[in-house]
Amino acid sequence: MTSVNVKLVYHYVITNLFNLCFFPLTAIVAGKAYRLTIDDLHHLYYSYLQHNLITIAPLFAFTVFGSVLYIATRPKPVYLVEYSCYLPPTHCRSSISKVMDIFYQVRKADPSRNGTCDDSSWLDFLRKIQERSGLGDETHGPEGLLQVPPRKTFAAAREETEQVIIGALENLFKNTNVNPKDIGILVVNSSMFNPTPSLSAMVVNTFKLRSNVRSFNLGGMGCSAGVIAIDLAKDLLHVHKNTYALVVSTENITYNIYAGDNRSMMVSNCLFRVGGAAILLSNKPGDRRRSKYELVHTVRTHTGADDKSFRCVQQGDDENGKTGVSLSKDITDVAGRTVKKNIATLGPLILPLSEKLLFFVTFMGKKLFKDKIKHYYVPDFKLAIDHFCIHAGGRAVIDVLEKNLALAPIDVEASRSTLHRFGNTSSSSIWYELAYIEAKGRMKKGNKVWQIALGSGFKCNSAVWVALNNVKASTNSPWEHCIDRYPVKIDSDSGKSETRVQNGRS
């Protein structure tokens, strides 16, 4: 406890060092100025200012010009007006036992099996993965796969994606009263399902967006594509003034469920579920008052130049020609290294001076005294960030980041709860987590939230937002009817839910 108090005092002193020095100096200058008389001011003018006008006038003009140039050229703020997370209908809820039945029916319907599915070893493997995944019994599966026999067709896949995107956008436009024709920029990301016409074209057609809308469709970029889409929209908003940007993040389950026997490809079947999010951004000064957040930083890290990183998540055919996404054993190490590189870039942007100084001292100490100092100092990000939205890719992903960032259980509560309630919804999971924090009533004015997303390639992308007001949960929030049942206690060994904590809006 004493060490914690000492660190807090140190942090306060270093962070407020300028103020602690400035205010006494200001008081001294003010005291001196108060004692000046009219004669003193005349003496100052005639003895110094009058004889140095040639120097003072250009300096004053340069200062004014520099100030005007800075104000005119600095990037305009990007506001998050509102966002909407898709909540599938209740008949799509899929308990663990129902998901196992889907796997069975999909394999049975595979033409190469002639209607039989006798080998039970794969079923035991999937059940173990499913039970340890951290997912609960209220996640959602696609309607096509819930039918018997399952509809694993292109048409069923298109229906799933259209249902998610249109559902999220209809709720977003309803909550904001924004006319779709006012949208100037559109970015849609879906990694595994990219039909022709594109999904962005489908949005333009469905909501009758204007003909000069700048539309983009991002594919194959994995679970971190949501932050990539935000970063792209931010750059476009810095160029195109006084407009709205619409970002849509989703993934498709129907067309990409794996029906083969390769176990490295089976794992993704156990984690991914139906979900999607639509986000409305604006650079209009008048939207600041009604917006929820302002974008502070985006940082993107790509380690694809390394072969292990590039191949740790890869789509391909198994030995029997069935397409799936394989996860290599290197994925945890690759994720850890990529996250560290991303943090190394983001840290200097957000950490207070006190933490930067401690890290620099230990860094130099380790260089000089390698034997005495074993590890670098791990900065306390909780001094700069109030809330964390870690991609709900699985229990292992959340565990690694919780350990590496020295976070408390409450800091990863939103991620674990989202994984349990909705599963891995890919690039949209960070928005379900943000909605959780809002539904708990924890987002206060001035709070900063850090969204961290990981994806194939391998990539780690971060977005930092600051709350402009005390943020309340949106209308038709995905947590509207279940927030009082979370968080749930998960057994650390089995991954099963043990008890529900009735903590309301704590």
Side-chain angles (χ1 to χ4, degrees):
M1 181 64 75
T2 303
S3 61
V4 173
N5 291 334
V6 169
K7 186 175 180 180
L8 288 175
V9 171
Y10 160 78
H11 168 69
Y12 178 82
V13 170
I14 297 298
T15 303
N16 297 281
L17 185 62
F18 176 79
N19 292 336
L20 293 174
C21 296
F22 177 76
F23 285 117
L25 183 62
T26 303
I28 293 171
V29 173
K32 294 283 187 181
Y34 179 75
R35 289 193 290 270
L36 289 175
T37 64
I38 298 297
D39 293 336
D40 293 329
L41 294 176
H42 278 291
H43 177 72
L44 178 65
Y45 174 76
Y46 287 111
S47 63
Y48 181 76
L49 296 180
Q50 190 178 38
H51 300 292
N52 292 277
L53 285 178
I54 297 178
T55 304
I56 294 173
L59 182 62
F60 177 75
F62 179 79
T63 303
V64 172
F65 175 77
S67 300
V68 171
L69 184 65
Y70 170 75
I71 293 171
T73 58
R74 67 176 178 174
K76 300 298 181 184
V78 173
Y79 303 115
L80 194 164
V81 179
E82 182 61 278
Y83 65 97
S84 173
C85 297
Y86 177 68
L87 180 62
T90 54
H91 66 264
C92 289
R93 285 188 181 176
S94 304
S95 63
I96 291 178
S97 59
K98 194 170 186 178
V99 170
M100 296 305 300
D101 185 58
I102 291 173
F103 296 158
Y104 179 83
Q105 294 295 340
V106 168
R107 290 170 65 89
K108 186 178 179 181
D110 183 10
S112 66
R113 300 183 188 277
N114 297 318
T116 62
C117 192
D118 298 329
D119 184 13
S120 62
S121 62
W122 66 270
L123 197 62
D124 294 334
F125 171 75
L126 287 177
R127 183 177 288 109
K128 289 179 181 178
I129 296 294
Q130 192 72 52
E131 290 176 348
R132 297 174 182 174
S133 65
L135 276 70
D137 284 329
E138 294 185 332
T139 60
H140 299 88
E143 291 193 22
L145 296 183
L146 292 173
Q147 298 176 11
V148 180
R151 290 177 58 224
K152 191 177 180 291
T153 63
F154 190 88
R158 184 187 289 274
E159 288 173 12
E160 176 200 335
T161 297
E162 289 183 353
Q163 185 180 42
V164 172
I165 292 178
I166 294 173
L169 284 174
E170 285 179 342
N171 189 54
L172 179 68
F173 288 132
K174 181 180 178 181
N175 288 348
T176 58
N177 292 319
V178 169
N179 188 331
K181 291 187 180 298
D182 291 335
I183 303 299
I185 298 164
L186 171 65
V187 183
V188 179
N189 69 270
S190 173
S191 185
M192 304 292 290
F193 183 67
N194 293 283
T196 300
S198 67
L199 297 178
S200 59
M202 182 272 291
V203 173
V204 172
N205 175 260
T206 302
F207 293 94
K208 309 306 176 187
L209 271 59
R210 64 196 197 202
S211 60
N212 64 343
V213 65
R214 296 166 179 85
S215 64
F216 301 84
N217 203 96
L218 306 181
M221 304 196 79
C223 298
S224 67
V227 176
I228 296 174
I230 293 292
D231 187 56
L232 174 59
K234 176 200 73 174
D235 290 342
L236 291 168
L237 285 171
H238 285 166
V239 175
H240 304 285
K241 308 301 181 185
N242 202 41
T243 190
Y244 288 111
L246 186 62
V247 175
V248 182
S249 296
T250 189
E251 192 50 89
N252 187 276
I253 309 299
T254 303
Y255 209 58
N256 297 288
I257 192 167
Y258 176 66
D261 299 316
N262 187 316
R263 295 194 173 188
S264 69
M265 292 182 171
M266 289 182 183
V267 176
S268 60
N269 285 355
C270 300
L271 298 175
F272 286 92
R273 298 291 188 271
V274 173
I279 304 96
L280 182 66
L281 303 176
S282 173
N283 59 9
K284 300 181 179 183
D287 280 327
R288 179 183 175 86
R289 180 173 296 181
R290 71 164 180 156
S291 296
K292 287 186 170 184
Y293 305 94
E294 180 180 338
L295 185 59
V296 182
H297 298 292
T298 53
V299 172
R300 293 166 55 179
T301 303
H302 201 314
T303 58
D306 175 72
D307 288 342
K308 281 187 177 180
S309 296
F310 179 71
R311 295 192 177 96
C312 68
V313 181
Q314 196 164 30
Q315 185 181 28
D317 293 336
D318 65 11
E319 54 276 8
N320 296 317
K322 293 182 175 60
T323 304
V325 177
S326 63
L327 306 178
S328 78
K329 295 180 180 179
D330 299 319
I331 188 168
T332 304
D333 293 335
V334 167
R337 284 190 284 107
T338 309
V339 167
K340 286 180 180 178
K341 289 186 177 182
N342 185 266
I343 290 173
T345 304
L346 181 65
L349 298 176
I350 63 173
L351 285 171
L353 179 61
S354 58
E355 291 299 290
K356 296 177 186 177
L357 184 60
L358 281 176
F359 179 81
F360 176 75
V361 170
T362 56
F363 178 82
M364 295 305 297
K366 187 170 174 59
K367 292 290 185 183
L368 298 174
F369 310 102
K370 294 182 180 180
D371 297 332
K372 294 183 178 180
I373 300 178
K374 301 296 183 183
H375 304 286
Y376 292 117
Y377 172 72
V378 179
D380 186 356
F381 281 90
K382 288 181 284 186
L383 292 173
I385 300 294
D386 301 284
H387 307 285
F388 297 82
C389 295
I390 299 169
H391 167 55
R395 284 181 65 203
V397 173
I398 301 172
D399 290 344
V400 167
L401 284 172
E402 180 182 13
K403 180 180 178 181
N404 289 348
L405 296 176
L407 301 180
I410 194 172
D411 296 320
V412 294
E413 182 184 305
S415 300
R416 295 195 190 281
S417 297
T418 295
L419 181 65
H420 185 272
R421 176 65 180 85
F422 296 102
N424 181 352
T425 60
S426 189
S427 57
S428 65
S429 69
I430 53 178
W431 298 105
Y432 287 87
E433 293 163 20
L434 186 58
Y436 178 90
I437 297 169
E438 293 177 2
K440 282 292 184 182
R442 295 173 182 167
M443 190 64 71
K444 306 301 180 184
K445 183 177 181 180
N447 281 182
K448 288 184 179 179
V449 57
W450 179 8
Q451 293 178 317
I452 315 170
L454 303 171
S456 59
F458 196 84
K459 299 180 287 293
C460 176
N461 301 315
S462 293
V464 178
W465 307 84
V466 61
L468 299 176
N469 302 286
N470 294 338
V471 182
K472 297 180 180 179
S474 303
T475 304
N476 296 324
S477 164
W479 297 96
E480 197 169 62
H481 303 294
C482 63
I483 190 62
D484 292 335
R485 293 188 277 120
Y486 282 85
V488 296
K489 185 177 180 181
I490 305 294
D491 184 272
S492 58
D493 296 320
S494 67
K496 296 180 180 179
S497 307
E498 291 183 334
T499 57
R500 298 189 185 278
V501 181
Q502 304 287 343
N503 68 338
R505 296 185 179 277
S506 59

